[in-house]
Each structure stands twice: as C-alpha cells, then as structure tokens.
C-alpha cells in the first residue's frame, strides 16, 4: 500500500493513450490498491492509472456519497469500484452538466456537458467481464476517467477562452504556493 505522486498538467505523460491490460496478476492488484490509497488521500472520487504514470487502461472510482443515516451529513458511504479495459456503448442523446475537477488539474473546476447515461463493459481485477448501465454522477465520473485513457483532460471539453482561464488560475495558484 502506497500513496503515489499524481501527475499534473501540462505533464506530457497525461497525453499518452493507455494500453489495454492483458495480465491480471498481483502486480495489477497492487497498482489498484495503491491507486485507491492515492485517490482517498488526495482526496478525489476517481483516478486513472496514467495519473500516477502507468499507461494502462485501469480506473478506480468511489463517489463517497453522503450516508443518509448520518444527520450531520459528515459520514460517507465508501463504494470502491474498479474498471479495467472499460468500453462504452448506448450513450443517450440526453446530456447532463456537472461541475468537474481533476487531481491532475488541482483545485480548478468547470461545468462539463456529457451524455447523461452510458452502458459500460469492463473487466475486474481478475479479468472477469461485467456490464452495467451508468447514470447520474457515476456516468459523468466514468466518462471523465475514461478520457484520461485517451490522453484527454476535462479542460479539453471547455471553450478555448474558458480553458485558458482555468490554466491561468492554475498557474497563479502554483505561483502563490
Ligand atoms: Zn481527472
């Protein structure tokens, strides 16, 4: 178990296209455990392997939604999900807008429009295939993470003006830090 350094834009490694996983071994499962440690520590709700410098088609997601039983709204329910070699189909015409952020574009947020629902085929850490219809925040999150496998960042979905604004704010925040 380890917390790995997260690559940040404009690191060119984030622009690589990740390769399919072919071997489902202990090394893969160690990478996944480390990715969860890194994501929870950041903290974030999703992480692609390339964000820790590994160009393989591996995503981890945990939306950590508030526990409805907790009146103060402080507790979250952990639901760690692993997606290897994810493939999308049957996306809806309908779109939804979420304010997105990314551990590789730290502390910057912007509205991104994506298909509201999508069917995902993937393999788990043992190579077993799965299929599920994703909706809501999960649909958005998995599309954001899947973009990383193609070398795409959420800021690429913004207008040039908005993207430049985000990058300027990021540069300013880095200077101040
Ligand atoms: Zn991201």
């Amino acid at each position: 178990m380890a917390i790995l350094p997260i690559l940040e834009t404009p690191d060119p490694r984030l622009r690589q296209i990740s390769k399919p996983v072919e071997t489902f071994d202990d090394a893969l499962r160690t990478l996944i455990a480390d990715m969860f440690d890194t994501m929870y520590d950041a903290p974030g709700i999703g992480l692609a392997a390339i964000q820790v410098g590994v160009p393989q088609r591996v995503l981890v997601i945990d939306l950590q939604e508030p526990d409805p039983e907790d009146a103060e709204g402080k507790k979250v329910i952990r639901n760690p999900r692993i997606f290897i070699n994810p493939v999308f189909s049957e996306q809806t015409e309908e779109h939804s807008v979420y304010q997105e952020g990314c551990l590789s574009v730290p502390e910057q947020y912007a509205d991104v429009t994506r298909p509201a629902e999508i069917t995902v085929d993937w393999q788990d850490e043992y190579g077993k295939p799965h299929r599920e219809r994703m909706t809501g925040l999960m649909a958005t999150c998995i599309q954001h993470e899947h973009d990383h496998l193609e070398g795409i960042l959420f800021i690429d979905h913004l207008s040039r003006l908005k993207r430049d604004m985000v990058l300027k704010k990021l540069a300013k925040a880095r200077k101040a830090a």
Side-chain angles (χ1 to χ4, degrees), residues 46 51 101-104 144-145 148 153-154:
Q51 291 180 278
C102 179
L103 298 176
S104 295
H144 172 120
E145 298 310 329
H148 282 296
L153 298 174
F154 83 94

Side-chain angles (χ1 to χ4, degrees), residues 129-161:
H130 299 268
R131 165 175 281 202
E132 196 178 312
R133 186 79 174 155
M134 303 296 184
T135 60
L137 180 58
M138 191 63 191
T140 286
C141 189
I142 197 160
Q143 290 176 74
H144 172 120
E145 298 310 329
H146 183 271
D147 272 355
H148 282 296
L149 305 181
E150 301 296 325
I152 298 166
L153 298 174
F154 83 94
I155 50 174
D156 301 339
H157 291 280
L158 308 178
S159 68
R160 198 172 152 192
L161 187 74

Side-chain angles (χ1 to χ4, degrees), residues 119-139:
T119 298
V120 187
D121 285 275
W122 76 95
Q123 285 166 284
D124 63 25
E125 67 274 39
Y126 299 97
K128 197 177 153 215
H130 299 268
R131 165 175 281 202
E132 196 178 312
R133 186 79 174 155
M134 303 296 184
T135 60
L137 180 58
M138 191 63 191

